[in-house]
Amino acid sequence: MDEEVFDAIVVGGGFAGLAATYRLAQAGRSVLLVERGATCGSKNLTGGRLYTYALQALLGDDWREAPLQRRVTREIISLLTEQDAVNIDTTLGSAPEESYTVLATPLLEWLAARCEEAGAMVVTATTVEGLLVRDGVVRGVKAGEDELEARVVIDCEGINPLLLERAGLIRPLDPHAVAVGAKYVYRYGSGEEVDRIFGVRPGEGAAVLGMGAVTRGVFGGVFCYSNADSVSLGLVLDSVAWKESGHSLLDTAEALHEHPAIGRYVAGGELVEYGAHLVYEGGYDTLPELSGAGWLVCGDAAGLCLNRGFTIRGMDYAVMSGIAAADAVTGALDAAAGTGPLGAAALSGYRERLEAGLLRDFRATRGAHDWMAATTDLFTVYPQLAVDAMTGLYHVGPEPLTPVASTLWRAARQIKKPVRTARTLLKGVRTL
Amino acid sequence: MTRPVDVLLAATRFETDEHHPHIVIDPVACRTCPSDRACATSCPAQRYAWDDAADVMSFDHVGCLECGSCRLVCDRLRTGAPGYSWDYPAAGAGVSYRQG
């Protein structure tokens, strides 16, 4: 057995794991990252949008060298019925460089190379089968014949945290806190074709968020992102509600291609990848234990993904949690006497860092997930109302015209219980 | 237009370990499924299909996208009932995304 004891072993080379690894290596710590995929990024799937403040926090201005796709300058919210759509369309070209569309695999490969340059050891194609736990303290990981030891294990194994669940360190993933997503990537012959499809200038990008009939009444939505020379299209659905609906997930994803307002974004492209991933959206009150004796958990494994309906954020929180974990570990290593594993108390600074950082967002949106899951009108009634109102306004025929007020009143009358609806919406706005 | 799932999966790269499925189910025990056979509708890769003629669940780990949806919707996979287990593939095997 290898006698070397690392300062830290990081499990999983996704956004959280690579961020933690990079930060620790930069602080001069000995860090080993173990990734089960053939390369870092080969097991990762994203909808496709990353907020750049997190890359800036990790890499400084070097983040501009990262292989990102397009700066998002156009936000489109699409309210969808079976055949029609009302879009809230924006051109926000004057906005700062807040977010880019991304493809996760090339970006993570690039980040892994930065980690190695910074002095970290990155081992791929190696599946960690269990945590080494002695006397209630995590002391390393088991991978094949090897037992690898470290003073702390930073678990970034993703949305299915088998290692932590099996060691009994966190509660099992709750189906009520999870959505399931499917995604297609279509490639075009040139970036100009993507410019044309989305009506953007070269290098600029669009992000489409669709809600309505495409999820068959279930809490969820459609996303579509312009990449450099490809387009990402996908569907995210609440796991439990979808199970109860009995619909086929694949058929529903395929039906997107038939929707006139959605299918046009990918028509004529060559399918170059189909994938699927779970999305954590339980919110603050369902978060697991975040650290304990000899271990910390970051990113998806920690449930650090937030769905507010119009945005789903996970990668930026993964990066920020990786940074917080690395900084907490560095502080604990500096303060610790001896060379043994870091105890639970020594690592409690991680929770404090998160509470002062990204968990503020999670506290502010308590209840948002439950509200959206319970308010199915969002996915049925309101998109239909929007379409009816617009259809009425723009209808012209031989009969006498209908005054605008009558058109809007007719649409509004479809709301069955207006007072209750207003109350429900107000409640929702407070949680979002 | 619903394309056969094999057409979609053909666009994705897999390094399949043919001999060691990372997900194991008991096709016969699935006859008494307490979960409405939700795997068959919820799996984005349609790896699960109820075989009416043979009265068993058919499952093919080749083409699995490792999302974990079945681990949640199937009570037996979730609780690790006898004959059921869900693991990561070993040593780089399984789905290998190029776009992500």
Side-chain angles (χ1 to χ4, degrees):
Chain A
M1 199 178 85
D2 195 339
E3 292 298 314
E4 184 176 10
V5 176
F6 293 93
D7 285 333
I9 292 176
V10 177
V11 181
F15 285 94
L18 289 167
T21 300
Y22 183 77
R23 192 82 165 184
L24 283 166
Q26 276 206 317
R29 296 299 175 179
S30 66
V31 50
L32 167 70
L33 182 143
V34 187
E35 160 60 38
R36 69 189 177 94
T39 60
C40 288
S42 65
K43 295 292 183 184
N44 292 84
L45 188 78
T46 172
R49 178 180 196 165
L50 177 59
Y51 296 88
T52 47
Y53 79 92
L55 287 181
Q56 171 87 39
L58 183 66
L59 301 163
D61 286 338
D62 289 351
W63 73 265
R64 291 177 189 284
E65 295 165 20
L68 309 175
Q69 299 292 314
R70 286 172 182 252
R71 178 165 78 100
V72 177
T73 58
R74 189 172 186 188
E75 308 271 4
I76 302 169
I77 296 175
S78 198
L79 304 173
L80 302 156
T81 61
E82 289 288 346
Q83 286 295 314
D84 299 317
V86 171
N87 294 329
I88 301 165
D89 189 351
T90 59
T91 50
L92 301 173
S94 66
E97 294 182 275
E98 274 195 348
S99 84
Y100 276 74
T101 58
V102 298
L103 293 165
T105 304
L107 177 54
L108 291 168
E109 278 175 358
W110 181 87
L111 265 180
R114 297 290 82 70
C115 287
E116 288 186 303
E117 282 170 19
M121 189 184 293
V122 176
V123 175
T124 57
T126 301
T127 305
V128 173
E129 285 126 21
L131 299 173
L132 276 180
V133 185
R134 283 199 300 272
D135 307 324
V137 180
V138 175
R139 292 160 192 269
V141 301
K142 287 180 268 191
E145 301 292 297
D146 294 324
E147 293 194 341
L148 303 162
E149 295 200 31
R151 299 184 68 189
V152 64
V153 172
I154 303 179
D155 190 302
C156 308
E157 60 181 313
I159 188 74
N160 290 290
L162 301 186
L163 298 176
L164 293 169
E165 287 184 14
R166 286 177 186 167
L169 296 173
I170 64 173
R171 50 96 191 96
L173 190 59
D174 177 359
H176 289 91
V178 177
V180 56
K183 177 190 170 188
Y184 306 82
V185 179
Y186 289 90
R187 186 179 291 145
Y188 290 87
S190 68
E192 285 76 27
E193 279 193 67
V194 178
D195 299 342
R196 180 183 52 74
I197 290 167
F198 286 89
V200 291
R201 291 182 291 192
E204 296 190 348
V208 181
L209 188 285
M211 55 192 286
V214 286
T215 59
R216 308 198 173 173
V218 169
F219 170 28
V222 175
F223 60 85
C224 187
Y225 298 116
S226 59
N227 303 317
D229 65 352
S230 66
V231 175
S232 300
L233 170 69
L235 182 67
V236 176
L237 298 159
D238 181 71
S239 182
V240 168
W242 192 254
K243 174 183 173 178
E244 286 164 2
S245 81
H247 291 300
S248 156
L249 192 144
L250 187 69
D251 290 352
T252 310
E254 284 288 279
L256 291 179
H257 297 76
E258 302 290 312
H259 197 292
I262 297 294
R264 65 194 170 106
Y265 293 120
V266 295
E270 177 203 358
L271 180 67
V272 290
E273 196 159 273
Y274 174 70
H277 202 275
L278 299 182
V279 183
Y280 194 88
E281 42 188 45
Y284 186 83
D285 295 308
T286 68
L287 294 177
E289 288 295 316
L290 296 170
S291 65
W295 65 276
L296 304 161
V297 58
C298 306
D300 266 358
L304 298 177
C305 183
L306 198 60
N307 182 357
R308 295 167 76 198
F310 51 96
T311 59
I312 299 184
R313 290 169 58 185
M315 292 181 284
D316 60 322
Y317 291 138
V319 168
M320 296 310 284
S321 66
I323 292 172
D327 290 351
V329 165
T330 300
L333 287 169
D334 286 343
T339 55
L342 297 173
L347 294 170
S348 62
Y350 175 53
R351 174 110 208 176
E352 287 160 25
R353 283 171 192 273
L354 291 185
E355 289 286 357
L358 61 90
L359 286 181
R360 285 178 300 188
D361 292 355
F362 286 70
R363 288 197 302 272
T365 52
R366 270 181 150 154
H369 173 265
D370 291 346
W371 178 76
M372 287 187 285
T375 312
T376 52
D377 284 0
L378 289 173
F379 314 102
T380 53
V381 175
Y382 304 136
Q384 188 68 55
L385 274 179
V387 165
D388 287 351
M390 291 302 275
T391 305
L393 287 179
Y394 287 97
H395 168 72
V396 173
E399 74 282 5
L401 64 78
T402 311
V404 169
S406 304
T407 302
L408 296 179
W409 181 239
R410 191 177 302 160
R413 263 201 324 233
Q414 291 174 51
I415 299 176
K416 296 286 190 303
K417 296 189 168 104
V419 174
R420 198 175 70 185
T421 300
R423 221 183 285 141
T424 305
L425 288 177
L426 192 63
K427 190 175 158 202
V429 166
R430 283 202 205 106
T431 66
L432 294 174
Chain B
M1 174 206 82
T2 296
R3 293 166 286 189
V5 71
D6 291 347
V7 170
L8 303 180
L9 295 176
T12 304
R13 185 196 286 174
F14 294 91
E15 310 286 347
T16 303
D17 181 346
E18 304 273 357
H19 304 293
H20 299 99
H22 56 286
I23 300 171
V24 177
I25 63 159
D26 182 335
V28 175
C30 287
R31 282 176 191 163
T32 58
C33 177
S35 313
D36 300 328
R37 295 185 189 130
C39 57
T41 50
S42 293
C43 173
Q46 290 191 337
R47 296 296 84 197
Y48 298 84
W50 178 251
D51 183 335
D52 258 329
D55 202 24
V56 294
M57 182 63 77
S58 74
F59 170 69
D60 184 358
H61 77 284
V62 180
C64 168
L65 297 166
E66 297 161 41
C67 70
S69 183
C70 57
R71 193 173 84 92
L72 297 185
V73 301
C74 167
D75 289 342
R76 289 169 175 168
L77 277 175
R78 192 170 76 246
T79 57
Y84 292 77
S85 64
W86 201 103
D87 278 291
Y88 301 127
V95 69
S96 188
Y97 288 121
R98 288 166 292 177
Q99 312 291 323

